[in-house]
Amino acid sequence: MTNIANLQLTPQGVLIPYEWVYEWLTQGLELVKNADNLVIRPRLTPLSEREQISEVLKSAGLLAPPPPLPPDFIPLSPEEKTELSRKLSMGRPLSEIIIEDRIL
């Protein structure tokens, strides 16, 4: 368990080690950034392991948000996905083509 009594104030503010943040997230806590402060509170719904990892990466500044979709983006229908899958599965596997190119 982390002991926050030993924290020190620096010119940057209070620095929290990544290990502590990860421990808090795995214990069902969440960190919420407000305009003037950071609140550590119990999470209302538990996160999956993937979500926990994403949260740690985001808090470390290592995870960028996905680029926005173009305004004219239209997702493929299930029929279009099936047809595209069929077309892309024709011919030789890509791994064979790459190996062949490496040999030449």
Side-chain angles (χ1 to χ4, degrees), residues 31-85:
L31 283 74
V32 179
K33 181 180 177 185
N34 294 333
D36 298 324
N37 53 29
L38 182 67
V39 178
I40 303 166
R41 65 181 186 199
R43 180 172 300 282
L44 299 177
T45 58
L47 289 179
S48 69
E49 185 177 351
R50 181 182 180 93
E51 291 170 325
Q52 290 175 6
I53 292 169
S54 294
E55 287 294 323
V56 171
L57 291 173
K58 276 189 232 176
S59 67
L62 299 174
L63 187 63
L69 294 172
D72 58 345
F73 175 76
I74 300 171
L76 294 175
S77 70
E79 294 81 20
E80 291 171 316
K81 287 181 184 180
T82 303
E83 179 62 21
L84 185 59
S85 173

Side-chain angles (χ1 to χ4, degrees), residues 1-2 8-10 13 15 17 22-24 27 31 34 36 39 52-54 64-65 68 71 73 78 86 90-91:
M1 188 71 168
T2 55
Q8 295 183 10
L9 186 61
T10 68
L15 301 179
Y22 183 76
E23 183 180 332
W24 292 337
Q27 291 176 358
L31 283 74
N34 294 333
D36 298 324
V39 178
Q52 290 175 6
I53 292 169
S54 294
F73 175 76
R86 186 189 62 74
M90 298 171 116

Side-chain angles (χ1 to χ4, degrees), residues 12-23:
Q12 296 172 304
V14 177
L15 301 179
I16 302 171
Y18 292 128
E19 296 83 24
W20 292 14
V21 173
Y22 183 76
E23 183 180 332

Side-chain angles (χ1 to χ4, degrees), residues 93-104:
L94 182 58
S95 59
E96 287 180 11
I97 296 170
I98 292 172
I99 292 170
E100 184 180 292
D101 284 348
R102 289 181 182 171
I103 294 172
L104 298 177

